[in-house]
Amino acid sequence: MSESTTEREIDRPVTRHGARRSRVLVVHSSDEMYGSDRIVLEVVSELVSTDDLDVTVWLPTDVEPGRLGPLLSELGARVERHPLPILRRMKLTPGGFLRLGRDAVRTLARLQGRHFDLVYCATSACLPVAPLARLVGIRRVVGHLQEPWGAKDRVGLRPLARACTALVAVSRSVLGASGLAEDARAVVVHNGVPHRSRDLPAEAPAHPRPHYVVASRWNPHKGHATLLRAWEKAGCPGELVILGAAPEVGLGVDVPELVARHVSRPETVVVVGEVDDATPYLQAADAVILPTDTLEGFGLVAVEAFSEGRAVIASRSGGPEEVIREGETGWLFDCRDVDALAHLLASLDVATLAEAGKRAQQAYLDEFTPERMRRRISAVVDGELHGRAAARSLAVAS
């Protein structure tokens, strides 16, 4: 096949019935496999399964190639890496803004020659692409808000979000924090994750004392210090396994140093680090802890825990409050409240956690499967491409 033929086929993709396929560009801000990355994988999986869509994914070149790109390619998406105008807190400096502007100009030129029908900005950090897409005449742009915005964030992000023709927020908390809750273009679609185990585990392992796991990036706001101080205050009441790693881009914390500083019985805390699959650790635990100190957009690990029949202890940080039913599928405490978290850790036993885990598993099946999320995302995209009103109603009602 000649190069010119290949280019013509890319420019004019068709369905197996000969109709023109709509060209969708998904722009994402990282190449890892944490929360937002896993949601992008589900979104792209849904889009490529539709015969009338041709899907391209742009990943940034300011991060090292990771695990997400190959998985997206396996799904059938065309994956490309380009310098992209991605908003990162560590790069909001005079030099960083110059590079952002340079990457925006390059992205604008690249968009002009590709004739996309719809651009999907997969995180808030990708929103600078939205006005660029509109400038080159792309009529449909979807923004997926996966992160809560602070007051300063809203100043810069809301004008970019207004370039979108549809907005998806992962929680009511995230939508409220954006200041766009009354925007008719916005819809809340809770995240869903696949259940990775072959069989739904009926019972948690038998432990004399509770075993907990915490799985997140080691960012300062994720609450590791709060958790470890509470762990010590509760008398180190079992075993605590810590998964994750400091982020490749952005601020991180030294979790092993926090353990050494705050915990008098370090043998009760196992720092595993980053793992390819957290499922075995979730299954080996009695419950999951999500101790975020600030706002949490959704808390995907809570739903992952639910899928494995594990209850969740989380801070009242926004998203988790929409997932956890207090005292039924888990427990909530105020952000940074070491005493409250310590009280929970000291008072909960294995049997109580197991009963809450059974209810959590049912909540997952009822509300947080990937099929439910994908159906609603598909409705938003279909609504933008073909008929907004009817499809948006499906997205809201599903």
Side-chain angles (χ1 to χ4, degrees):
M1 183 180 291
S2 69
E3 182 178 350
S4 60
T5 301
T6 303
E7 290 175 349
R8 284 197 300 272
E9 289 182 351
I10 290 175
D11 286 341
R12 294 181 175 83
V14 297
T15 69
R16 58 178 174 267
H17 303 297
R20 181 186 180 278
R21 301 169 75 187
S22 296
R23 299 191 61 185
V24 174
L25 170 65
V26 177
V27 182
H28 187 46
S29 52
S30 73
D31 193 3
E32 301 177 284
M33 277 303 292
Y34 284 93
S36 65
D37 311 295
R38 293 189 59 192
I39 296 306
V40 168
L41 194 65
E42 292 296 329
V43 169
V44 172
S45 179
E46 178 64 23
L47 297 179
V48 299
S49 69
T50 305
D51 183 52
D52 62 355
L53 299 182
D54 179 78
V55 182
T56 299
V57 181
W58 285 0
L59 298 177
T61 55
D62 66 335
V63 297
E64 291 296 320
R67 293 191 291 142
L68 178 62
L71 292 173
L72 293 169
S73 295
E74 289 176 13
L75 291 174
R78 185 182 301 108
V79 178
E80 304 171 7
R81 288 179 171 82
H82 299 292
L84 298 172
I86 303 298
L87 294 172
R88 304 195 193 280
R89 295 186 190 279
M90 290 293 291
K91 297 187 177 182
L92 298 183
T93 63
F97 280 116
L98 286 174
R99 287 188 292 273
L100 192 69
R102 177 199 63 195
D103 292 340
V105 170
R106 292 177 177 177
T107 300
L108 183 68
R110 196 175 301 113
L111 285 168
Q112 285 178 321
R114 297 297 291 270
H115 309 294
F116 292 110
D117 297 292
L118 181 144
V119 171
Y120 194 103
C121 297
T123 66
S124 298
C126 303
L127 285 177
V129 177
L132 301 177
R134 299 301 298 275
L135 277 174
V136 302
I138 298 172
R139 297 179 59 193
R140 302 298 180 220
V141 179
V142 178
H144 200 153
L145 312 184
Q146 301 204 46
E147 313 86 359
W149 300 354
K152 292 182 179 179
D153 299 324
R154 287 193 291 273
V155 173
L157 290 175
R158 270 194 295 193
L160 301 176
R162 290 192 177 102
C164 298
T165 55
L167 294 168
V168 175
V170 299
S171 65
R172 294 185 296 276
S173 173
V174 162
L175 185 57
S178 73
L180 299 167
E182 303 303 319
D183 197 312
R185 299 167 297 167
V187 61
V188 173
V189 177
H190 284 149
N191 289 334
V193 296
H195 182 257
R196 295 188 178 186
S197 305
R198 180 173 297 178
D199 301 306
L200 296 177
E203 301 289 344
H207 299 136
R209 304 178 76 196
H211 284 206
Y212 299 100
V213 64
V214 55
S216 71
R217 283 190 179 98
W218 295 355
N219 297 111
H221 66 278
K222 287 296 186 179
H224 291 91
T226 296
L227 170 59
L228 291 169
R229 289 166 59 205
W231 187 256
E232 173 69 13
K233 195 160 191 173
C236 302
E239 179 180 272
L240 175 64
V241 174
I242 303 178
L243 309 180
E248 181 181 335
V249 179
L251 294 174
V253 295
D254 186 342
V255 168
E257 189 276 331
L258 290 175
V259 174
R261 187 195 316 171
H262 294 298
V263 181
S264 62
R265 296 178 56 201
E267 72 276 7
T268 65
V269 180
V270 181
V271 180
V272 175
E274 192 162 13
V275 296
D276 290 336
D277 183 4
T279 306
Y281 297 92
L282 298 179
Q283 292 182 331
D286 297 293
V288 168
I289 305 176
L290 185 60
T292 312
D293 283 339
T294 57
L295 285 178
E296 182 76 56
F298 183 75
L300 199 63
V301 70
V303 175
E304 292 176 315
F306 280 17
S307 76
E308 297 295 339
R310 302 297 180 260
V312 177
I313 301 169
S315 61
R316 291 187 176 90
S317 51
E321 296 175 79
E322 297 176 34
V323 175
I324 297 165
R325 295 197 298 270
E326 175 73 44
E328 296 182 29
T329 60
W331 294 265
L332 298 164
F333 65 96
D334 290 340
C335 291
R336 301 179 185 271
D337 192 335
V338 172
D339 290 340
L341 177 54
H343 174 75
L344 284 172
L345 294 173
S347 62
L348 292 170
D349 56 39
V350 171
T352 301
L353 294 171
E355 287 302 313
K358 292 176 183 178
R359 294 188 291 268
Q361 194 169 79
Q362 188 58 52
Y364 165 78
L365 295 171
D366 292 341
E367 304 175 50
F368 301 112
T369 61
E371 292 78 16
R372 189 173 191 272
M373 180 194 73
R374 288 169 57 167
R375 184 170 65 249
R376 301 184 71 196
I377 294 291
S378 179
V380 172
V381 171
D382 187 63
E384 289 300 291
L385 289 171
H386 303 118
R388 282 198 205 176
R392 188 180 183 281
S393 296
L394 174 62
V396 172
S398 295

